[in-house]
Amino acid sequence: TGIDIVENQRIQQSYDKFGEKFLNRIFTEREIDYCMKKKDFIPCLAARFAAKEATIKAYYQAFQEKINYKNVEILGKNREPAEILLHHDANHTKTFSLSFSISHEKNYSVAVVIIHTA
């Protein structure tokens, strides 16, 4: 299980200071495209940042392997739940599935991820 909460203003500050460099270091092209189409894109980015952190934590707990931000992709779907894609050559042989939830409001974004192993 992994959980993360992020203050949206922290993501705003990173974006204001580093711009595209920040976006490209943390997010995939599809994540950037999805969020930047929104009128208020910071909560969208912040929720994905929290989901990536929560996934990284859960993945390490389940498999004792580190993955990075770009290995985790949160795909948005308009009016449908988002989905997590992992882009990682795993060193483990366990079959697993992910359950997760993300949410954001004016000041904070939060995510929880559970990895179910067989």
Side-chain angles (χ1 to χ4, degrees), residues 19-32:
E20 294 293 316
K21 186 176 179 180
F22 166 70
L23 294 179
N24 292 322
R25 183 175 161 262
I26 304 294
F27 303 100
T28 66
E29 228 176 273
R30 290 190 289 189
E31 290 170 324
I32 295 167

Side-chain angles (χ1 to χ4, degrees), residues 64-83:
Q64 289 72 52
E65 289 180 40
K66 293 181 181 180
I67 56 176
N68 66 43
Y69 293 118
K70 296 283 274 243
N71 292 137
V72 181
E73 185 173 31
I74 314 302
L75 290 182
K77 298 178 180 182
N78 288 325
R79 304 200 197 303
E80 291 182 30
E83 86 177 278

Side-chain angles (χ1 to χ4, degrees), residues 33-79:
D33 289 343
Y34 179 80
C35 289
M36 297 308 270
K37 289 177 183 173
K38 299 198 173 291
K39 184 178 178 181
D40 188 8
F41 60 89
I42 293 299
C44 181
L45 292 171
R48 274 149 186 74
F49 184 86
K52 287 170 177 277
E53 284 279 344
T55 302
I56 290 166
K57 292 171 184 176
Y59 195 89
Y60 188 80
Q61 286 182 7
F63 306 115
Q64 289 72 52
E65 289 180 40
K66 293 181 181 180
I67 56 176
N68 66 43
Y69 293 118
K70 296 283 274 243
N71 292 137
V72 181
E73 185 173 31
I74 314 302
L75 290 182
K77 298 178 180 182
N78 288 325
R79 304 200 197 303

Side-chain angles (χ1 to χ4, degrees), residues 1-4 50-64 84 96-101 110-117:
T1 303
I3 189 168
D4 195 67
K52 287 170 177 277
E53 284 279 344
T55 302
I56 290 166
K57 292 171 184 176
Y59 195 89
Y60 188 80
Q61 286 182 7
F63 306 115
Q64 289 72 52
I84 296 177
F96 69 96
S97 62
L98 293 165
S99 299
F100 80 107
S101 183
V110 65
V112 65
V113 174
I114 299 170
I115 294 182
H116 309 274
T117 57

